[in-house]
Amino acid sequence: MPAPITAYLATAVAFFALDFVWLSLAVPRIYRPLMGTLLRESPNLPVAGAFYLVYVVGLVVFAVLPAASAGSWVMALGLGALLGLVAYGTYDFTNLSTIRDWPLMVSLVDLAWGVSVSAVAALVGYAALSLRF
C-alpha cells in the first residue's frame, strides 16, 4: 500500500476513535452544560464526516509525511500539535470573538483537546509508516 494511503488510514482511525471517545464523554459533561441550546441534540453526520476526511488530509500532509521524511517521531508529534493549535484555535477564537455568550471554558477545553488529539493521531500515522515492511 502506498505510504500516503497507509498514513491516511492509520491517522484517520486514530483521530476518529479518540474523538469518538472524547465526544462521548465530554458532550454530556462539558459541552452540553456550557453550551445549552447552541448544541444540536445529535451531530450532523455528513458535515462531521467531511470535517474528518479533510482534517486528516491536513494531518498527513502537514505533519505525518514531513515527519516520516525526516525520520522523526518528535516532529510528527510537534507538527500534529501545531496543526491542532492552528485549526482548533481558528474555530475557538473565532467563536469567542463572534458569538455572544460563547463560553471561554468551551474554547479552552476544545483547544487543548484539538492540540492533543492531533498530535497523537499524527504520531500514530507516523508509526504506521515506520512499521511498514
Side-chain angles (χ1 to χ4, degrees), residues 43-53:
N44 182 327
L45 295 179
V47 174
F51 164 74
Y52 287 112
L53 291 172

Side-chain angles (χ1 to χ4, degrees), residues 6 34 43 55 57 62-63 75 86 91-92 104 107 110 113 116 128:
T6 299
L34 292 173
Y55 191 69
V57 168
F62 297 117
M75 186 179 203
V86 171
Y91 169 79
D92 289 311
L104 173 62
S107 287
D110 194 61
W113 173 248
S116 301

Side-chain angles (χ1 to χ4, degrees), residues 96-124:
L96 274 172
S97 71
T98 60
I99 298 175
R100 182 176 323 166
D101 300 324
W102 181 264
L104 173 62
M105 185 57 68
V106 167
S107 287
L108 295 175
V109 168
D110 194 61
L111 184 59
W113 173 248
V115 169
S116 301
V117 71
S118 298
V120 171
L123 185 60
V124 169

